[in-house]
Amino acid sequence: IAGITQAPTSQILAAGRRMTLRCTQDMRHNAMYWYRQDLGLGLRLIHYSNTAGTTGKGEVPDGYSVSRANTDDFPLTLASAVPSQTSVYFCASSDLTSGGPDTQYFGPGTRLTVL
Amino acid sequence: GQNIDQPTEMTATEGAIVQINCTYQTSGFNGLFWYQQHAGEAPTFLSYNVLDGLEEKGRFSSFLSRSKGYSYLLLKELQMKDSASYLCAAMDSNYQLIWGAGTKLIIKP
């Protein structure tokens, strides 16, 4: 099935632990994004990648890192988790070469709780 | 700064029409998106406007006024399945989306 997958679906993590959230898309989109969504706030961009091999910082990048070794995968790593990183994390992708609107398509999300 | 404003919550009756407003302020502008998000699910794309005017797509329509920094999403013939949050997002000059907090729409029978 075409689309974006994320893993895990949910996770409870002890503070100080390292965690990688996985994201894979099979639409051959060149751009990928990581957002966090917190109650009462809009989606906030953590990191993005416009093409394989490049990444950029979004609005709230501190405490997170990403890599983009190939077109399909865009993992998000929390090096040392803190309770303020408790959130729902969405991965998204878009085709910046289509000539049309840069519509972003979202994965199902990962619900992360840091205790 | 960059900002998106939309109402936190709205209530409407099944079969009726509802208009969800959004005002935006961004550094540059490359279009306005509306997404639907059911509770516990991912946002899904509804509409995109970059020119002034109304775009109609079935029961849903979206309007944009660039000079006023204003958009609305119009939902007609409301159905119970339309109960969801509706997210407004403006694309800035760096082609990044700036998101509103979303409007939770409650449909009553």
Side-chain angles (χ1 to χ4, degrees), chain A residues 42-58:
Chain A
L43 288 161
R44 291 184 291 169
L45 183 65
I46 304 171
H47 285 286
Y48 66 94
S49 168
N50 286 338
T51 189
T54 68
T55 62
K57 293 182 179 181

Side-chain angles (χ1 to χ4, degrees), chain A residues 16-76:
Chain A
R17 297 296 294 269
R18 181 185 178 89
M19 175 74 191
T20 295
L21 308 185
R22 299 184 298 280
C23 175
T24 299
Q25 54 106 356
D26 63 3
M27 297 179 285
R28 309 303 294 173
H29 285 173
N30 52 346
M32 297 186 76
Y33 313 84
W34 274 107
Y35 290 95
R36 59 178 290 172
Q37 188 175 40
D38 302 291
L39 198 64
L41 299 177
L43 288 161
R44 291 184 291 169
L45 183 65
I46 304 171
H47 285 286
Y48 66 94
S49 168
N50 286 338
T51 189
T54 68
T55 62
K57 293 182 179 181
E59 179 186 355
V60 289
D62 293 344
Y64 306 94
S65 63
V66 291
S67 61
R68 186 88 183 278
N70 57 60
T71 298
D72 300 342
D73 301 299
F74 191 42
L76 176 74

Side-chain angles (χ1 to χ4, degrees), chain A residues 35 37 42 45 48 101 103-104 107, chain B residues 35 37 42 45 48 96 99-101:
Chain A
Y35 290 95
Q37 188 175 40
L45 183 65
Y48 66 94
T103 304
Q104 295 185 12
Chain B
Y35 280 75
Q37 186 177 26
F45 171 74
Y48 169 76
Q96 301 293 349
W99 295 83

Side-chain angles (χ1 to χ4, degrees), chain A residues 2 9 13 19 27-28 36 41 47 49 61 73-74 82 86-87 89-90 97 102 113:
Chain A
T9 303
L13 190 66
M19 175 74 191
M27 297 179 285
R28 309 303 294 173
R36 59 178 290 172
L41 299 177
H47 285 286
S49 168
D73 301 299
F74 191 42
V82 295
T86 294
S87 188
Y89 291 86
F90 287 104
T97 65
D102 299 332
T113 302

